[in-house]
Amino acid sequence: AVLVGGPAAAGGFGFSVEPARAQVSVPAGKRRGQTLTVHNARPDEAIHLTIYVRDIINLPDGTHDYPPPGSTEWSCADWIQVVPSEVEVPPNGTRDVRVSVAAPADASGGHYAVVFFESGPSYAEEGISVNFRVGAIVEAVIRGTERVAAALKDVAFVEPSAIRVDVFNEGNALIRPKGLIRVLNADGEKVRQLALNPSLLGVLPRTLRSLSTPIDEPLPPGDYHVRVEVDYGAPTLLVGEHAFSVR
């Protein structure tokens, strides 16, 4: 079982890691770090955790994968040192872990990885031992070298009731696009206004991410026009339009 970038439910995983995102500003050729704190929610049992680093990628379906260090062009996994690499957390207790990032002299832009905290087998489910792991995302940015660029690849109506916006990150650092979706009827009247990506999901460099926004109240049958404005951190917005019908 895996949880990345958010607090773990104490009843399920039994432990959590804070902060869920370690944001490290590091000059090229220098080392910077941050402390992560592990919380053991179990009242009567210590927990032993192994700590290791993996890359992170966005998959087209919106989920993630965690390949070995150095698998991606935006990886910082090989720059990361974690001390200690194993930790014993007492019942209802905490332990601190130091994560340091050493950026190469020629580094630029943003680089990303996940520090995983993994328990030993907690129980057997249909004869299979189950481990829990919680991941803290490391965002290492070489300040002053970021290049912010993005493209709006597609806007579509997804039956029965959602708008999908595909954003491609053309830059060298993570972006968190946000914006507005306006749905107009055949007379040009606004019938729905939706927030795009209110949870601020990130898009990794050179990666396409589909952002789906549900229309809470389904549209009645008819012809519609959707207009999307995307703010991704640049001076100008991305604007896209799409016509569709509901039958």
Side-chain angles (χ1 to χ4, degrees):
V2 182
L3 183 110
V4 175
F13 289 79
F15 69 99
S16 61
V17 178
E18 294 180 349
R21 299 181 186 276
Q23 297 175 315
V24 181
S25 177
V26 54
K30 302 294 183 180
R31 180 185 294 272
R32 297 290 186 270
Q34 185 169 335
T35 297
L36 302 179
T37 301
V38 187
H39 302 260
N40 181 6
R42 299 174 182 177
D44 54 5
E45 183 181 355
I47 187 169
H48 184 86
L49 301 173
T50 302
I51 308 166
Y52 56 94
V53 184
R54 289 289 184 271
D55 279 0
I56 181 171
I57 59 175
N58 300 142
L59 298 177
D61 64 0
T63 61
H64 299 88
D65 196 11
Y66 309 102
S71 299
T72 69
E73 60 184 290
W74 57 80
S75 174
C76 64
D78 288 330
W79 306 355
I80 294 174
Q81 181 181 31
V82 182
V83 179
S85 59
E86 295 188 38
V87 67
E88 190 89 11
V89 189
N92 278 330
T94 64
R95 285 289 184 267
D96 288 342
V97 173
R98 185 67 176 171
V99 175
S100 61
V101 180
D106 60 351
S108 63
H111 294 264
Y112 309 92
V114 178
V115 177
F116 275 116
F117 296 74
E118 184 166 339
S119 69
S122 300
Y123 63 92
E125 187 173 286
E126 297 182 356
I128 300 174
S129 296
V130 177
N131 293 21
F132 292 107
R133 66 176 182 175
V134 173
I137 297 174
V138 177
E139 302 179 357
V141 177
I142 317 301
R143 292 298 178 195
T145 67
E146 306 100 310
R147 182 173 58 84
V148 179
L152 188 57
K153 292 297 186 180
D154 195 20
V155 178
F157 173 71
V158 181
E159 295 183 354
S161 190
I163 303 296
R164 193 195 74 238
V165 178
D166 292 348
V167 178
F168 184 77
N169 184 352
E170 297 180 331
N172 67 358
L174 183 82
I175 59 173
R176 298 189 185 279
K178 60 182 180 179
L180 287 178
I181 300 171
R182 296 180 177 90
V183 181
L184 311 178
N185 63 17
D187 295 326
E189 300 167 331
K190 184 175 67 177
V191 294
R192 300 286 188 278
Q193 180 166 298
L194 312 168
L196 173 67
N197 194 23
S199 56
L200 295 180
L201 298 175
V203 186
L204 290 163
R206 310 302 302 172
T207 298
L208 178 75
R209 187 157 196 175
S210 294
L211 303 169
S212 182
T213 303
I215 303 174
D216 295 334
E217 184 180 347
L219 296 167
D223 296 326
Y224 295 93
H225 187 89
V226 62
R227 180 180 175 86
V228 178
E229 296 179 351
V230 183
D231 179 357
Y232 62 98
T236 58
L237 302 178
L238 299 175
V239 178
E241 299 187 9
H242 173 67
F244 66 95
S245 298
V246 176
R247 302 303 180 198

